[in-house]
């Protein structure tokens, strides 16, 4: 069963709300947003940016997980179909959103341990950011 696509206006509004709250609190990229952002808004922002990633880099080689909000498969190449995929990227919602909008670089996220990536193709550096909100 196909997922329903999140409307761009709704998704962008959720991402803008998360960014505005983080900026208002003076928090840097990837700060803990769980206590300051409504859970449904945070989940929508994460799912929307994951959707953009999957649309901009279609494929099934890498699985990107942002628990508990969502996961997508992306990047062209050998498709994974069963069990644990060989190429996995996993991070928390705040870090993912910072990566997705360009507030945090892939290299910095990896170096600081805020992103866990396994497998030869588990590199999203060339795919990020997926959205820029002025």
């Amino acid at each position: 069963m196909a997922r329903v696509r999140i409307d761009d206006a709704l998704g962008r509004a959720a991402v803008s709300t998360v960014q505005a709250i983080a900026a208002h609190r003076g928090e840097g990229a990837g700060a803990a947003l769980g206590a300051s952002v409504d859970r449904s808004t945070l989940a929508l922002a994460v799912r929307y940016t994951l959707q953009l990633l999957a649309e901009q880099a279609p494929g099934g080689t890498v699985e990107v997980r942002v628990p508990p909000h969502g996961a997508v498969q992306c990047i062209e190449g050998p498709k994974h179909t069963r069990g644990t995929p060989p190429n996995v990227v996993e991070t928390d919602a705040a870090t993912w959103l910072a990566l997705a909008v360009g507030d945090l670089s892939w290299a910095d996220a990896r170096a600081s341990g805020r992103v866990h990536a396994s497998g030869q193709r588990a590199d999203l550096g060339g795919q990020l950011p997926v959205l820029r909100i002025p």
Side-chain angles (χ1 to χ4, degrees), residues 95 99 103-115:
T95 300
L99 287 165
D103 287 346
L104 178 65
S105 75
W106 176 254
D108 289 345
R110 287 294 315 262
S112 66
R114 292 167 54 185
V115 170

Side-chain angles (χ1 to χ4, degrees), residues 58-63 73-80 85-88 121-122:
T61 299
V62 179
E63 185 166 293
Q73 290 189 356
C74 59
I75 313 288
E76 194 172 303
K79 184 166 176 71
H80 164 74
N87 301 289
V88 175
R121 296 174 180 251

Side-chain angles (χ1 to χ4, degrees), residues 44-111:
L44 180 61
V46 168
R47 289 182 187 126
Y48 176 66
T49 52
L50 286 171
Q51 170 183 290
L52 292 177
L53 174 65
E55 290 173 355
Q56 293 171 18
T61 299
V62 179
E63 185 166 293
V64 180
R65 301 173 181 169
V66 184
H69 305 294
V72 295
Q73 290 189 356
C74 59
I75 313 288
E76 194 172 303
K79 184 166 176 71
H80 164 74
T81 56
R82 293 174 38 176
T84 301
N87 301 289
V88 175
V89 172
E90 188 166 332
T91 191
D92 62 274
T95 300
W96 169 250
L97 289 172
L99 287 165
V101 300
D103 287 346
L104 178 65
S105 75
W106 176 254
D108 289 345
R110 287 294 315 262

